[in-house]
Amino acid sequence: MGNLPWAAAALTVLALVVVWIWSSATLSREANARTAGALEQARTVIGGELLRHTDLLRAGAALLANRNVTPEQFERQVALLELPRRYPGAVALTVVDQTGIVRRAAPIAVAEYPPGTDLTRVPHIAAALDVATQSNGVALSAPATSEQTGSTIMFAFAAIGNGGWIGVQISGQRFLDAVAEHSSVMGDISIADVVGDQQAPIAAAALADRKPVRSTDMPALGRRWQLAYSPEHPVLATRERVLPWLLLAVGAAAAVVVVLTLLAQARARRDAVTMAIRLSESEARRDRLLDASPVAIIEVARDGRVANENAAAGALLGHEPGSAVGRQLSVDVRGPTGGRSSLELASDLNGTPLVIETPHGARWVVAYCTETLAGMGRLLVLVDESERHRLEERLTEAQRMEALGLLAGRIAHDFNNLLTPIGGYLDLVLSGEGLNDDDRSMLDECRYATERAAALVSQILTVGRQHVVAVRAVDAAAAIRSLAGLLTQIAGPGIAFRVHTPAEPPVPAVAIDPTGLEQVVVNLVTNARDACAPGGAVTVTVTVEGPLVVLSVADTGAGMDDATRQRVFEPFFTTKQGHGTGLGLATVYAIVSGAGGTIEVTSAPGQGTTFTIRLPLVDPPAEEAVESPDGSAAAGQAEAAAGRTVLLVEDEDQVRRLVQRILRRQGYRVLAAASGEEAQRLYAEGPDHVDLLLSDVRLPGISGPELASALTAERAGLPVVYMSGYTEGLVSDDGRLPPGTMLLTKPFRADELARQIAEAFADGD
């Protein structure tokens, strides 16, 4: 029993020795097998590459089938063969005539034997020429070391039909380096040319500093080559380097490593599966978030192709979402002068406002551009702010129109105060007797001029929304059809005029002043006619779109540029040099806005113009009873004046004196005041003697409406009549008077003043 430990130890040592010897032998066999396999693989690869040079020679021979090929053409065709990338070691393709003189070589810059070289003077090359001719195949020359390049240059020749040869100049070292680079041989290969017992080195591995362990012969296009191989990691003498205990330690360590590796691989596979699932879920969430975003997001690769895009990008750029993936990004940007350029992705796109062209028209966007997380491309973000831009334009236009309208209204007020006494006194003079026909004719002309001036001021007041309108429900289609004859005459014989109105319900009724609607259509058709050349067309269309009535006037005229289109509704702006007041379209804008509608213009040079008006749809107009006058108005005015006192308040002296004279001629007693404060003092002296208040709207100090409120608070039912050429502070935003208000607009005729006062007394009674 005592010998058992020793026996066990001996058996253990014996087992270790056996294992050590067996492992050493096994390693040696495997090393020899790998060496033989590597050498055979190198032999096969090198032989295959030499056959490819045979194919190169055939390609060169086919190129020379055309006898008329020029040196330049030969050079270009050889360049297409991509030497030496496609044919390892091939430096140049050479044409040799029947005398052995090189006639062509391409590329000439790298050819070792340029045109004009006599190859018969190079013995080993001349020998290859003879072999190629006799064998009617491909012959390889012996190696020769070039003194210029220090490399081994060989020739592979094939005979061609005219007694000459086609050859390829081969660098032996480049040939071997290319073979080693594209093969899986692990180790160093060297090549030598064998002639008898002599060897001429052709090429060796760049780092070949180990002694070859095995070599073999191989045929090489008429030559005999010897390949020598040295393993990259030679097998060490295991019996001399490895001790038994090291073998045991390595085995144990290997076992532990194997177990740990298996466990790690299992865990890595599990973690990889979990990570792939999470990544897939993350990408799905990202795609859902991108598609739900209202902002256009486009991922662009380095080559400019779209890698990904969300639904908002497709909607903005006018294509199906995802259809642009794989195509070059194409976004047209409109420049300040109207020209177009392609959007360039750059890091300075950081909140940059741009105008881009899409199939749906111009869109105003804010652009952002940043690098993607992986740095493989760029991320383009386009925020569509077209709606905000349009709202800002409308707000700016509304503010400009409001300011211009306020200015126009105040100018109109001063004109009306001048026109009122002119027209009034003309009425008084014309109503008298003793005028001859010539004087009366001249005064009539003055009166006509006054009325024209009053009409112009009325337009200005309409622009300033200080014009009182009588709004009622109007059938827009019926109104347009009733104007068709007049509009045709306005268009003239050289213009094709058309009207399209709906024949089926609903009735396109709108709430507007009927006269204002006619003025709108007449002004737009007149402008359209002026814009058209002979042979043009003007079309008026009425449609119902949801809760809106749409009235459009389109022409085929010269159109407008952007600068003109943006100012077209400004008061006093006109492109009709020499005629036109510039109030026509401004009046149209004011009438439409006052009726609660909108007006838009679309136009481009050479593409005509379309004005589109949208008005709220209302209930159709009711049938109105027509009342015939009874002829008793004149008699009622005389009765109303008897014993009545009018408190007149007017700050303009001429207007006050005119109204006072007209009323006294009618039989009224008149108390005249130049301000609201003075009128209050006169009223306080005898309130029971004042039967009616006739006041201007705008007064220094207390205004007309404020004065009326104070007096009617003391005496309910006191009739009040306003007169004004500028109704700021009295009419509402849509140009309507408060209920029960009576207004006499300046300038007025003497009979209009008398009739208004008489009606006020009649309503009070």
Side-chain angles (χ1 to χ4, degrees):
M1 297 294 295
N3 295 326
L4 287 178
W6 294 101
L11 290 175
T12 302
V13 172
L14 180 61
L16 290 176
V17 171
V18 171
V19 169
W20 173 54
I21 295 173
W22 174 80
S23 62
S24 298
T26 301
L27 290 175
S28 297
R29 286 196 302 273
E30 291 178 355
N32 291 332
R34 284 196 299 269
T35 300
L39 194 59
E40 185 60 27
Q41 182 182 4
R43 177 188 174 107
T44 302
V45 172
I46 292 174
E49 293 298 336
L50 288 175
L51 290 178
R52 294 192 64 211
H53 287 75
T54 301
D55 295 337
L56 175 61
L57 293 176
R58 293 194 183 98
L63 175 64
L64 294 175
N66 182 4
R67 304 297 182 179
N68 297 323
V69 63
T70 64
E72 291 79 14
Q73 292 174 338
F74 182 77
E75 184 86 10
R76 287 196 298 270
Q77 292 295 328
V78 171
L80 295 177
L81 296 175
E82 298 182 42
L83 307 179
R85 187 184 68 82
R86 293 174 57 187
Y87 301 93
V91 176
L93 199 65
T94 303
V95 179
V96 182
D97 64 12
Q98 61 272 25
T99 64
I101 304 298
V102 176
R103 294 305 178 186
R104 293 177 186 171
I108 297 177
V110 297
E112 187 67 18
Y113 298 95
T117 304
D118 187 357
L119 298 183
T120 60
R121 297 181 180 274
V122 184
H124 65 279
I125 296 179
L129 292 175
D130 293 335
V131 173
T133 303
Q134 295 170 6
S135 64
N136 196 25
V138 177
L140 186 68
S141 70
T145 301
S146 169
E147 296 180 356
Q148 297 178 350
T149 62
S151 62
T152 300
I153 300 297
M154 301 172 291
F155 258 101
F157 288 105
I160 54 180
N162 59 356
W165 298 268
I166 179 74
V168 56
Q169 299 182 29
I170 304 172
S171 168
Q173 189 61 50
R174 291 185 183 180
F175 176 84
L176 181 59
D177 291 342
V179 169
E181 181 181 356
H182 295 92
S183 70
S184 59
V185 176
M186 303 299 293
D188 298 330
I189 297 293
S190 61
I191 304 174
D193 186 83
V194 180
V195 180
D197 296 331
Q198 301 296 322
Q199 294 184 1
I202 295 176
L207 301 178
D209 57 353
R210 293 182 294 272
K211 184 178 180 180
V213 299
R214 180 169 293 190
S215 62
T216 184
D217 288 346
M218 70 167 287
L221 302 180
R223 306 294 301 178
R224 184 164 67 93
W225 281 1
Q226 185 178 74
L227 307 182
Y229 172 75
S230 177
E232 185 176 4
H233 301 290
V235 179
L236 299 178
T238 307
R239 290 167 297 182
E240 298 175 359
R241 301 293 181 91
V242 182
L243 296 176
W245 61 268
L246 182 59
L247 184 61
L248 291 175
V250 171
V256 172
V257 170
V258 168
V259 172
L260 294 178
T261 302
L262 292 176
L263 293 175
Q265 288 179 347
R267 183 174 181 179
R269 284 195 296 270
R270 185 177 66 252
D271 292 344
V273 171
T274 303
M275 184 64 70
I277 294 174
R278 292 178 178 176
L279 180 60
S280 178
E281 293 175 349
S282 176
E283 291 179 348
R285 287 195 299 271
R286 181 204 63 184
D287 293 340
R288 288 195 297 270
L289 288 174
L290 288 178
D291 285 337
S293 173
V295 176
I297 303 174
I298 306 172
E299 182 182 355
V300 184
R302 284 292 184 186
D303 60 358
R305 297 180 184 273
V306 177
N308 195 10
E309 66 174 358
N310 64 349
L316 176 64
L317 300 180
H319 59 254
E320 289 294 327
S323 62
V325 174
R327 297 186 303 184
Q328 288 289 329
L329 177 67
S330 177
V331 179
D332 290 337
V333 179
R334 180 192 297 177
T337 60
R340 296 185 182 184
S341 61
S342 181
L343 176 63
E344 294 184 3
L345 299 186
S347 58
D348 58 355
L349 289 178
N350 186 18
T352 306
L354 300 172
V355 181
I356 64 174
E357 297 290 346
T358 72
H360 307 301
R363 306 293 292 182
W364 282 257
V365 300
V366 175
Y368 300 86
C369 183
T370 183
E371 294 281 346
T372 58
L373 293 179
M376 299 302 292
R378 294 181 182 271
L379 201 64
L380 176 64
V381 179
L382 300 176
V383 183
D384 189 0
E385 296 197 347
S386 301
E387 187 62 28
R388 184 181 66 83
H389 177 78
R390 283 192 288 268
L391 291 176
E392 288 179 350
E393 281 189 336
R394 291 182 181 178
L395 177 60
T396 302
E397 184 174 355
Q399 291 173 340
R400 183 173 68 250
M401 295 297 293
E402 181 180 0
L404 292 172
L406 183 62
L407 174 63
R410 293 188 175 179
I411 294 174
H413 169 264
D414 295 336
F415 270 91
N416 279 333
N417 281 333
L418 295 174
L419 293 174
T420 298
I422 294 174
Y425 284 119
L426 284 173
D427 288 341
L428 293 178
V429 173
L430 289 170
S431 64
E433 298 180 357
L435 292 175
N436 58 43
D437 292 341
D438 190 34
D439 291 340
R440 186 174 296 277
S441 175
M442 289 187 290
L443 292 175
D444 284 337
E445 289 294 330
C446 291
R447 182 64 203 176
Y448 176 68
T450 304
E451 291 175 350
R452 289 186 60 191
L456 181 60
V457 173
S458 177
Q459 279 190 311
I460 298 176
L461 287 174
T462 300
V463 171
R465 298 190 186 179
Q466 299 297 326
H467 183 68
V468 180
V469 295
V471 176
R472 62 183 177 87
V474 178
D475 183 345
I480 299 301
R481 286 194 294 268
S482 66
L483 289 173
L486 174 62
L487 298 177
T488 302
Q489 293 180 0
I490 292 175
I495 303 298
F497 179 75
R498 294 182 289 269
V499 174
H500 300 294
T501 58
E504 300 295 334
V507 175
V510 295
I512 195 171
D513 178 18
T515 303
L517 178 60
E518 294 179 1
Q519 188 174 2
V520 166
V521 178
V522 169
N523 280 346
L524 292 179
V525 172
T526 301
N527 278 0
R529 175 206 62 194
D530 294 341
C532 289
V538 177
T539 304
V540 179
T541 305
V542 178
T543 58
V544 177
E545 296 180 2
L548 298 175
V549 176
V550 181
L551 169 63
S552 66
V553 178
D555 65 65
T556 59
M560 295 178 283
D561 56 22
D562 288 341
T564 303
R565 183 176 54 81
Q566 292 175 1
R567 300 187 59 193
V568 72
F569 295 117
E570 288 186 8
F572 309 114
F573 174 76
T574 179
T575 58
K576 302 174 182 178
Q577 302 298 328
H579 66 285
T581 62
L583 290 174
L585 292 178
T587 303
V588 169
Y589 182 90
I591 293 173
V592 172
S593 300
T598 62
I599 181 170
E600 297 178 354
V601 56
T602 56
S603 183
Q607 298 182 15
T609 302
T610 300
F611 287 89
T612 304
I613 298 171
R614 292 178 174 85
L615 294 167
L617 184 66
V618 300
D619 294 333
E623 295 292 335
E624 298 182 356
V626 180
E627 298 181 359
S628 59
D630 56 6
S632 61
Q637 293 177 12
E639 294 178 0
R644 301 294 181 97
T645 300
V646 176
L647 177 56
L648 170 63
V649 189
E650 170 61 59
D651 60 325
E652 291 288 337
D653 294 339
Q654 287 182 315
V655 177
R656 186 174 64 253
R657 289 193 296 268
L658 170 65
V659 174
Q660 189 174 6
R661 177 172 293 182
I662 293 173
L663 293 178
R664 285 177 176 173
R665 279 195 177 189
Q666 294 292 327
Y668 295 103
R669 179 173 174 265
V670 181
L671 299 177
S675 66
E677 291 80 4
E678 184 181 355
Q680 285 181 322
R681 289 193 298 271
L682 291 176
Y683 184 79
E685 293 175 358
D688 296 337
H689 299 295
V690 175
D691 299 302
L692 182 142
L693 173 63
L694 175 61
S695 174
D696 193 4
V697 174
R698 298 181 72 247
L699 294 170
I702 301 176
S703 67
E706 292 173 342
L707 174 62
S709 297
L711 297 187
T712 53
E714 296 181 16
R715 179 181 170 185
L718 176 67
V720 178
V721 177
Y722 294 109
M723 55 181 180
S724 180
Y726 179 51
T727 55
E728 181 184 19
L730 182 61
V731 299
S732 61
D733 292 339
D734 57 2
R736 307 183 191 186
L737 287 170
T741 303
M742 302 186 71
L743 176 66
L744 186 64
T745 58
K746 298 177 182 178
F748 48 78
R749 302 177 70 98
D751 56 348
E752 293 176 345
L753 173 62
R755 183 172 61 254
Q756 189 77 10
I757 298 298
E759 290 178 359
F761 278 124
D763 292 342
D765 295 340

